[in-house]
Short mmCIF file of all heavy atoms in Angstrom, two decimals:
data_model
loop_
_atom_site.label_atom_id
_atom_site.label_comp_id
_atom_site.label_asym_id
_atom_site.label_seq_id
_atom_site.Cartn_x
_atom_site.Cartn_y
_atom_site.Cartn_z
N PHE A 181 31.93 132.13 85.54
CA PHE A 181 31.92 130.70 85.85
C PHE A 181 31.18 129.92 84.75
O PHE A 181 31.53 128.79 84.44
CB PHE A 181 31.27 130.47 87.21
CG PHE A 181 31.94 131.23 88.32
CD1 PHE A 181 31.45 132.46 88.74
CD2 PHE A 181 33.09 130.73 88.92
CE1 PHE A 181 32.07 133.17 89.75
CE2 PHE A 181 33.72 131.44 89.94
CZ PHE A 181 33.22 132.65 90.35
N ILE A 182 30.16 130.55 84.17
CA ILE A 182 29.45 129.92 83.05
C ILE A 182 30.40 129.72 81.87
O ILE A 182 30.43 128.66 81.24
CB ILE A 182 28.24 130.78 82.63
CG1 ILE A 182 27.17 130.77 83.73
CG2 ILE A 182 27.65 130.29 81.31
CD1 ILE A 182 26.02 131.71 83.48
N TYR A 183 31.21 130.73 81.59
CA TYR A 183 32.15 130.63 80.48
C TYR A 183 33.22 129.56 80.74
O TYR A 183 33.63 128.84 79.82
CB TYR A 183 32.81 131.98 80.21
CG TYR A 183 31.95 132.93 79.42
CD1 TYR A 183 31.75 134.25 79.83
CD2 TYR A 183 31.34 132.52 78.24
CE1 TYR A 183 30.96 135.12 79.09
CE2 TYR A 183 30.54 133.38 77.49
CZ TYR A 183 30.36 134.68 77.93
OH TYR A 183 29.57 135.53 77.19
N ILE A 184 33.67 129.44 81.99
CA ILE A 184 34.64 128.40 82.33
C ILE A 184 34.03 127.02 82.11
O ILE A 184 34.67 126.10 81.59
CB ILE A 184 35.13 128.56 83.79
CG1 ILE A 184 36.01 129.79 83.94
CG2 ILE A 184 35.87 127.31 84.25
CD1 ILE A 184 37.31 129.71 83.20
N ILE A 185 32.76 126.85 82.51
CA ILE A 185 32.08 125.57 82.31
C ILE A 185 31.98 125.24 80.82
O ILE A 185 32.21 124.11 80.40
CB ILE A 185 30.67 125.61 82.96
CG1 ILE A 185 30.79 125.66 84.49
CG2 ILE A 185 29.84 124.41 82.54
CD1 ILE A 185 29.49 125.96 85.19
N LEU A 186 31.66 126.25 80.01
CA LEU A 186 31.51 126.02 78.57
C LEU A 186 32.83 125.64 77.91
O LEU A 186 32.88 124.70 77.11
CB LEU A 186 30.93 127.29 77.91
CG LEU A 186 29.50 127.65 78.26
CD1 LEU A 186 29.10 128.96 77.59
CD2 LEU A 186 28.53 126.55 77.87
N ILE A 187 33.92 126.36 78.23
CA ILE A 187 35.20 126.05 77.60
C ILE A 187 35.74 124.73 78.11
O ILE A 187 36.36 123.96 77.37
CB ILE A 187 36.21 127.20 77.81
CG1 ILE A 187 37.45 126.99 76.93
CG2 ILE A 187 36.63 127.31 79.27
CD1 ILE A 187 37.19 127.13 75.46
N HIS A 188 35.47 124.40 79.38
CA HIS A 188 35.89 123.10 79.92
C HIS A 188 35.15 121.97 79.21
O HIS A 188 35.75 120.92 78.90
CB HIS A 188 35.62 123.06 81.43
CG HIS A 188 36.09 121.80 82.09
ND1 HIS A 188 35.27 120.68 82.22
CD2 HIS A 188 37.28 121.45 82.63
CE1 HIS A 188 35.95 119.72 82.82
NE2 HIS A 188 37.16 120.16 83.09
N TYR A 189 33.88 122.17 78.94
CA TYR A 189 33.10 121.17 78.23
C TYR A 189 33.63 120.99 76.80
O TYR A 189 33.74 119.87 76.29
CB TYR A 189 31.63 121.57 78.20
CG TYR A 189 30.77 120.70 77.32
CD1 TYR A 189 30.70 119.33 77.52
CD2 TYR A 189 30.01 121.25 76.30
CE1 TYR A 189 29.92 118.52 76.71
CE2 TYR A 189 29.21 120.46 75.49
CZ TYR A 189 29.17 119.10 75.69
OH TYR A 189 28.39 118.30 74.90
N TYR A 190 33.99 122.11 76.16
CA TYR A 190 34.53 122.00 74.81
C TYR A 190 35.85 121.21 74.80
O TYR A 190 36.09 120.40 73.91
CB TYR A 190 34.78 123.39 74.22
CG TYR A 190 35.46 123.34 72.87
CD1 TYR A 190 34.74 123.11 71.72
CD2 TYR A 190 36.84 123.46 72.76
CE1 TYR A 190 35.36 123.02 70.48
CE2 TYR A 190 37.48 123.38 71.54
CZ TYR A 190 36.73 123.16 70.39
OH TYR A 190 37.36 123.06 69.18
N MET A 191 36.68 121.44 75.80
CA MET A 191 37.99 120.79 75.83
C MET A 191 37.91 119.31 76.20
O MET A 191 38.73 118.52 75.76
CB MET A 191 38.89 121.50 76.85
CG MET A 191 39.13 122.97 76.56
SD MET A 191 40.08 123.28 75.07
CE MET A 191 41.70 122.75 75.59
N THR A 192 36.92 118.93 77.00
CA THR A 192 36.87 117.56 77.51
C THR A 192 35.67 116.75 77.05
O THR A 192 35.70 115.52 77.08
CB THR A 192 36.86 117.57 79.05
OG1 THR A 192 35.65 118.19 79.51
CG2 THR A 192 38.06 118.33 79.60
N GLY A 193 34.58 117.43 76.67
CA GLY A 193 33.36 116.72 76.35
C GLY A 193 32.57 116.28 77.56
O GLY A 193 31.57 115.57 77.45
N ILE A 194 32.99 116.72 78.76
CA ILE A 194 32.33 116.34 80.01
C ILE A 194 31.52 117.53 80.51
O ILE A 194 32.08 118.56 80.87
CB ILE A 194 33.35 115.93 81.08
CG1 ILE A 194 34.19 114.74 80.58
CG2 ILE A 194 32.66 115.57 82.39
CD1 ILE A 194 35.35 114.39 81.48
N ILE A 195 30.20 117.41 80.54
CA ILE A 195 29.35 118.51 80.98
C ILE A 195 29.05 118.42 82.47
O ILE A 195 29.04 119.41 83.19
CB ILE A 195 28.04 118.58 80.16
CG1 ILE A 195 27.23 119.81 80.53
CG2 ILE A 195 27.22 117.30 80.34
CD1 ILE A 195 27.88 121.12 80.23
N PHE A 196 28.79 117.20 82.98
CA PHE A 196 28.46 117.03 84.40
C PHE A 196 29.75 116.81 85.19
O PHE A 196 30.17 115.68 85.44
CB PHE A 196 27.47 115.88 84.59
CG PHE A 196 26.16 116.11 83.92
CD1 PHE A 196 25.83 115.44 82.76
CD2 PHE A 196 25.25 117.02 84.44
CE1 PHE A 196 24.62 115.67 82.13
CE2 PHE A 196 24.04 117.26 83.81
CZ PHE A 196 23.73 116.58 82.66
N SER A 197 30.38 117.91 85.54
CA SER A 197 31.67 117.87 86.21
C SER A 197 31.62 118.65 87.51
O SER A 197 30.61 119.28 87.85
CB SER A 197 32.75 118.47 85.30
OG SER A 197 32.46 119.84 85.04
N LYS A 198 32.73 118.63 88.24
CA LYS A 198 32.84 119.40 89.48
C LYS A 198 32.66 120.88 89.23
O LYS A 198 32.07 121.59 90.04
CB LYS A 198 34.19 119.12 90.13
CG LYS A 198 34.41 119.83 91.45
CD LYS A 198 35.68 119.36 92.14
CE LYS A 198 36.90 119.72 91.33
NZ LYS A 198 38.16 119.37 92.03
N LYS A 199 33.12 121.36 88.07
CA LYS A 199 32.99 122.77 87.74
C LYS A 199 31.53 123.17 87.59
O LYS A 199 31.13 124.28 87.93
CB LYS A 199 33.78 123.09 86.48
CG LYS A 199 35.29 123.10 86.70
CD LYS A 199 36.03 123.44 85.43
CE LYS A 199 37.51 123.60 85.71
NZ LYS A 199 38.10 122.41 86.31
N LEU A 200 30.72 122.25 87.05
CA LEU A 200 29.29 122.54 86.89
C LEU A 200 28.62 122.67 88.25
O LEU A 200 27.79 123.57 88.47
CB LEU A 200 28.62 121.44 86.07
CG LEU A 200 27.13 121.63 85.78
CD1 LEU A 200 26.92 122.86 84.90
CD2 LEU A 200 26.55 120.40 85.10
N VAL A 201 28.98 121.80 89.20
CA VAL A 201 28.42 121.86 90.55
C VAL A 201 28.83 123.16 91.24
O VAL A 201 28.00 123.86 91.85
CB VAL A 201 28.87 120.65 91.38
CG1 VAL A 201 28.39 120.78 92.83
CG2 VAL A 201 28.35 119.36 90.76
N ILE A 202 30.11 123.52 91.11
CA ILE A 202 30.60 124.75 91.72
C ILE A 202 29.90 125.96 91.11
O ILE A 202 29.50 126.88 91.81
CB ILE A 202 32.12 124.87 91.55
CG1 ILE A 202 32.83 123.77 92.35
CG2 ILE A 202 32.62 126.24 91.99
CD1 ILE A 202 34.33 123.69 92.11
N GLY A 203 29.74 125.95 89.77
CA GLY A 203 29.04 127.04 89.11
C GLY A 203 27.61 127.18 89.59
O GLY A 203 27.12 128.30 89.79
N GLY A 204 26.91 126.05 89.79
CA GLY A 204 25.55 126.08 90.30
C GLY A 204 25.46 126.65 91.70
O GLY A 204 24.56 127.44 92.02
N LEU A 205 26.43 126.29 92.55
CA LEU A 205 26.45 126.81 93.92
C LEU A 205 26.74 128.31 93.94
O LEU A 205 26.16 129.06 94.74
CB LEU A 205 27.50 126.06 94.74
CG LEU A 205 27.20 124.58 95.03
CD1 LEU A 205 28.37 123.93 95.75
CD2 LEU A 205 25.92 124.45 95.86
N ILE A 206 27.61 128.75 93.04
CA ILE A 206 27.92 130.19 92.96
C ILE A 206 26.68 130.95 92.48
O ILE A 206 26.38 132.04 92.98
CB ILE A 206 29.11 130.42 92.03
CG1 ILE A 206 30.39 129.90 92.70
CG2 ILE A 206 29.27 131.89 91.69
CD1 ILE A 206 31.58 129.86 91.80
N PHE A 207 25.97 130.38 91.50
CA PHE A 207 24.75 131.04 91.02
C PHE A 207 23.72 131.15 92.14
O PHE A 207 23.07 132.19 92.30
CB PHE A 207 24.18 130.25 89.84
CG PHE A 207 23.03 130.94 89.16
CD1 PHE A 207 23.16 132.23 88.68
CD2 PHE A 207 21.81 130.30 89.01
CE1 PHE A 207 22.11 132.87 88.04
CE2 PHE A 207 20.75 130.91 88.39
CZ PHE A 207 20.90 132.21 87.90
N LEU A 208 23.58 130.08 92.94
CA LEU A 208 22.66 130.13 94.08
C LEU A 208 23.13 131.16 95.10
O LEU A 208 22.32 131.91 95.66
CB LEU A 208 22.57 128.74 94.73
CG LEU A 208 21.72 128.63 96.00
CD1 LEU A 208 20.27 128.99 95.70
CD2 LEU A 208 21.81 127.22 96.58
N SER A 209 24.44 131.24 95.32
CA SER A 209 24.98 132.20 96.28
C SER A 209 24.70 133.63 95.85
O SER A 209 24.51 134.53 96.69
CB SER A 209 26.49 132.00 96.43
OG SER A 209 26.79 130.71 96.89
N SER A 210 24.66 133.86 94.54
CA SER A 210 24.38 135.22 94.06
C SER A 210 23.00 135.68 94.48
O SER A 210 22.77 136.87 94.71
CB SER A 210 24.53 135.28 92.54
OG SER A 210 23.51 134.53 91.89
N PHE A 211 22.04 134.74 94.60
CA PHE A 211 20.70 135.10 95.07
C PHE A 211 20.71 135.43 96.55
O PHE A 211 19.84 136.15 97.03
CB PHE A 211 19.73 133.95 94.80
CG PHE A 211 19.27 133.85 93.38
CD1 PHE A 211 20.05 133.23 92.43
CD2 PHE A 211 18.06 134.40 92.99
CE1 PHE A 211 19.64 133.15 91.11
CE2 PHE A 211 17.63 134.32 91.67
CZ PHE A 211 18.43 133.70 90.73
N ILE A 212 21.69 134.89 97.28
CA ILE A 212 21.78 135.16 98.72
C ILE A 212 22.31 136.57 98.98
O ILE A 212 21.81 137.28 99.85
CB ILE A 212 22.68 134.11 99.39
CG1 ILE A 212 22.05 132.71 99.25
CG2 ILE A 212 22.90 134.44 100.86
CD1 ILE A 212 22.92 131.59 99.80
N ILE A 213 23.30 136.99 98.20
CA ILE A 213 23.96 138.27 98.48
C ILE A 213 23.37 139.44 97.70
O ILE A 213 23.64 140.59 98.04
CB ILE A 213 25.47 138.19 98.19
CG1 ILE A 213 25.71 138.02 96.68
CG2 ILE A 213 26.11 137.06 98.96
CD1 ILE A 213 27.16 138.11 96.28
N ILE A 214 22.57 139.16 96.68
CA ILE A 214 22.18 140.24 95.79
C ILE A 214 21.19 141.21 96.42
O ILE A 214 21.15 142.38 96.07
CB ILE A 214 21.61 139.67 94.47
CG1 ILE A 214 21.89 140.62 93.31
CG2 ILE A 214 20.12 139.39 94.58
CD1 ILE A 214 23.34 140.78 92.99
N GLY A 215 20.37 140.72 97.39
CA GLY A 215 19.41 141.62 98.05
C GLY A 215 20.08 142.79 98.75
O GLY A 215 19.74 143.95 98.49
N PRO A 216 21.02 142.53 99.66
CA PRO A 216 21.72 143.64 100.31
C PRO A 216 22.46 144.54 99.33
O PRO A 216 22.50 145.76 99.51
CB PRO A 216 22.70 142.92 101.25
CG PRO A 216 22.08 141.59 101.50
CD PRO A 216 21.38 141.23 100.24
N VAL A 217 23.05 143.97 98.30
CA VAL A 217 23.78 144.77 97.32
C VAL A 217 22.83 145.73 96.60
O VAL A 217 23.12 146.91 96.43
CB VAL A 217 24.50 143.86 96.30
CG1 VAL A 217 25.08 144.69 95.16
CG2 VAL A 217 25.62 143.08 96.99
N ARG A 218 21.68 145.22 96.19
CA ARG A 218 20.73 146.07 95.48
C ARG A 218 20.19 147.16 96.40
O ARG A 218 19.93 148.28 95.96
CB ARG A 218 19.59 145.22 94.93
CG ARG A 218 20.00 144.41 93.71
CD ARG A 218 18.84 143.63 93.14
NE ARG A 218 19.20 143.04 91.87
CZ ARG A 218 18.38 142.29 91.13
NH1 ARG A 218 17.15 142.04 91.57
NH2 ARG A 218 18.77 141.79 89.98
N GLU A 219 20.01 146.84 97.68
CA GLU A 219 19.55 147.85 98.63
C GLU A 219 20.59 148.96 98.73
O GLU A 219 20.24 150.15 98.76
CB GLU A 219 19.32 147.20 99.99
CG GLU A 219 18.80 148.17 101.06
CD GLU A 219 17.42 148.70 100.73
OE1 GLU A 219 16.67 148.02 99.99
OE2 GLU A 219 17.08 149.80 101.20
N MET A 220 21.86 148.60 98.77
CA MET A 220 22.91 149.60 98.81
C MET A 220 22.91 150.46 97.55
O MET A 220 23.09 151.68 97.61
CB MET A 220 24.27 148.90 98.96
CG MET A 220 24.50 148.27 100.32
SD MET A 220 25.98 147.22 100.33
CE MET A 220 27.22 148.44 99.92
N LEU A 221 22.67 149.83 96.40
CA LEU A 221 22.66 150.58 95.15
C LEU A 221 21.48 151.54 95.11
O LEU A 221 21.60 152.68 94.65
CB LEU A 221 22.59 149.61 93.97
CG LEU A 221 23.85 148.78 93.74
CD1 LEU A 221 23.59 147.69 92.70
CD2 LEU A 221 25.01 149.66 93.30
N ARG A 222 20.32 151.09 95.59
CA ARG A 222 19.16 151.99 95.64
C ARG A 222 19.43 153.19 96.54
O ARG A 222 19.11 154.33 96.20
CB ARG A 222 17.93 151.23 96.15
CG ARG A 222 17.34 150.22 95.19
CD ARG A 222 15.97 149.77 95.67
NE ARG A 222 15.43 148.70 94.85
CZ ARG A 222 15.51 147.42 95.15
NH1 ARG A 222 16.12 147.05 96.26
NH2 ARG A 222 14.98 146.51 94.36
N GLU A 223 20.00 152.91 97.70
CA GLU A 223 20.27 153.99 98.65
C GLU A 223 21.31 154.95 98.11
O GLU A 223 21.17 156.17 98.26
CB GLU A 223 20.73 153.40 100.00
CG GLU A 223 19.74 152.47 100.68
CD GLU A 223 18.50 153.21 101.21
OE1 GLU A 223 18.51 154.46 101.18
OE2 GLU A 223 17.56 152.55 101.62
N SER A 224 22.35 154.42 97.50
CA SER A 224 23.39 155.30 96.97
C SER A 224 22.87 156.12 95.81
O SER A 224 23.27 157.27 95.61
CB SER A 224 24.60 154.47 96.52
OG SER A 224 24.23 153.60 95.47
N LYS A 225 21.94 155.55 95.02
CA LYS A 225 21.33 156.30 93.92
C LYS A 225 20.50 157.45 94.44
O LYS A 225 20.35 158.48 93.79
CB LYS A 225 20.47 155.34 93.08
CG LYS A 225 19.97 155.95 91.78
CD LYS A 225 19.22 154.92 90.98
CE LYS A 225 18.72 155.53 89.66
NZ LYS A 225 17.96 154.54 88.86
N ALA A 226 19.95 157.27 95.65
CA ALA A 226 19.15 158.32 96.28
C ALA A 226 20.02 159.26 97.13
O ALA A 226 19.52 159.94 98.02
CB ALA A 226 18.06 157.70 97.14
N ASN A 227 21.34 159.22 96.87
CA ASN A 227 22.30 160.09 97.57
C ASN A 227 22.37 159.79 99.07
O ASN A 227 22.58 160.70 99.88
CB ASN A 227 21.97 161.58 97.36
CG ASN A 227 22.10 161.98 95.90
OD1 ASN A 227 23.03 161.53 95.22
ND2 ASN A 227 21.20 162.81 95.42
N ILE A 228 22.18 158.56 99.43
CA ILE A 228 22.36 158.12 100.82
C ILE A 228 23.66 157.33 100.88
O ILE A 228 23.94 156.52 100.00
CB ILE A 228 21.18 157.25 101.29
CG1 ILE A 228 19.88 158.07 101.23
CG2 ILE A 228 21.40 156.73 102.69
CD1 ILE A 228 18.64 157.26 101.56
N SER A 229 24.46 157.56 101.87
CA SER A 229 25.78 156.94 101.94
C SER A 229 25.66 155.43 102.06
O SER A 229 24.66 154.89 102.54
CB SER A 229 26.56 157.49 103.13
OG SER A 229 25.97 157.06 104.35
N TYR A 230 26.73 154.74 101.67
CA TYR A 230 26.76 153.28 101.78
C TYR A 230 26.67 152.85 103.24
O TYR A 230 26.08 151.83 103.56
CB TYR A 230 28.04 152.73 101.15
CG TYR A 230 27.97 152.63 99.65
CD1 TYR A 230 28.69 153.51 98.85
CD2 TYR A 230 27.18 151.66 99.04
CE1 TYR A 230 28.62 153.41 97.46
CE2 TYR A 230 27.12 151.55 97.66
CZ TYR A 230 27.84 152.44 96.88
OH TYR A 230 27.77 152.34 95.52
N ASN A 231 27.28 153.63 104.15
CA ASN A 231 27.22 153.28 105.57
C ASN A 231 25.79 153.30 106.08
O ASN A 231 25.37 152.44 106.86
CB ASN A 231 28.07 154.27 106.39
CG ASN A 231 29.55 154.07 106.12
OD1 ASN A 231 29.98 152.98 105.76
ND2 ASN A 231 30.33 155.13 106.30
N SER A 232 25.01 154.30 105.61
CA SER A 232 23.60 154.36 106.01
C SER A 232 22.83 153.18 105.43
O SER A 232 21.97 152.61 106.08
CB SER A 232 22.97 155.68 105.52
OG SER A 232 23.62 156.78 106.11
N ALA A 233 23.17 152.84 104.20
CA ALA A 233 22.48 151.70 103.58
C ALA A 233 22.79 150.41 104.32
O ALA A 233 21.91 149.57 104.53
CB ALA A 233 22.92 151.58 102.11
N LEU A 234 24.04 150.26 104.74
CA LEU A 234 24.42 149.04 105.45
C LEU A 234 23.79 148.95 106.83
O LEU A 234 23.60 147.87 107.37
CB LEU A 234 25.95 148.99 105.59
CG LEU A 234 26.71 148.62 104.32
CD1 LEU A 234 28.21 148.82 104.53
CD2 LEU A 234 26.44 147.18 103.92
N SER A 235 23.45 150.13 107.42
CA SER A 235 22.85 150.12 108.75
C SER A 235 21.38 149.75 108.73
O SER A 235 20.77 149.54 109.77
CB SER A 235 23.02 151.51 109.41
OG SER A 235 22.27 152.47 108.68
N ASN A 236 20.79 149.68 107.53
CA ASN A 236 19.39 149.27 107.41
C ASN A 236 19.24 147.80 107.77
O ASN A 236 20.22 147.07 107.90
CB ASN A 236 18.86 149.51 105.99
CG ASN A 236 18.72 150.99 105.68
OD1 ASN A 236 18.70 151.82 106.59
ND2 ASN A 236 18.62 151.30 104.40
#
Side-chain angles (χ1 to χ4, degrees):
F181 304 96
I182 292 173
Y183 280 131
I184 290 294
I185 291 169
L186 292 177
I187 191 67
H188 183 270
Y189 172 57
Y190 174 82
M191 300 293 288
T192 65
I194 301 172
I195 186 63
F196 297 105
S197 63
K198 182 172 64 176
K199 287 181 174 57
L200 182 65
V201 175
I202 294 173
L205 292 175
I206 290 170
F207 187 55
L208 176 62
S209 300
S210 68
F211 282 82
I212 297 176
I213 67 172
I214 210 66
V217 171
R218 286 183 171 179
E219 182 65 25
M220 290 170 60
L221 291 170
R222 288 193 186 97
E223 300 290 352
S224 62
K225 189 176 180 181
N227 296 321
I228 299 175
S229 68
Y230 280 107
N231 290 334
S232 298
L234 285 171
S235 65
N236 290 343

